[in-house]
Amino acid sequence: LSERELELLRLIAKGLSYDEVGQIMGLKYNTIASYAKELYRKLQVHGRSEAVFEATQLGLVNSSRI
């Protein structure tokens, strides 16, 4: 995963919306949605909750920090 995708993953794991993530990362909603789509493809999942679960299982997101 790219650094941007990891950052997105960590922020959505905290429960932030794409709009909120976009504000933090300084990107537009459509760009965040595009990153998310690619992230989900790479993790072979179909949505946000699956991505967070997989990322936690793979050690990409520390569940104690969420």
Side-chain angles (χ1 to χ4, degrees), residues 13-60:
K14 291 180 180 182
L16 299 177
S17 70
Y18 287 172
D19 285 327
E20 293 168 322
V21 171
Q23 289 175 4
I24 290 169
M25 294 177 69
L27 300 169
K28 295 185 183 218
Y29 177 91
N30 289 342
T31 304
I32 296 299
S34 178
Y35 279 139
K37 184 177 177 180
E38 183 64 12
L39 173 66
Y40 299 162
R41 185 191 67 75
K42 287 180 179 180
L43 291 175
Q44 299 177 355
V45 298
H46 299 288
R48 163 181 243 154
S49 59
E50 282 183 83
V52 172
F53 176 79
E54 278 300 312
T56 303
Q57 295 298 309
L58 294 169
L60 299 172

Side-chain angles (χ1 to χ4, degrees), residues 6-17:
L6 284 171
E7 184 179 2
L8 168 63
L9 186 55
R10 290 179 183 118
L11 291 170
I12 64 172
K14 291 180 180 182
L16 299 177
S17 70

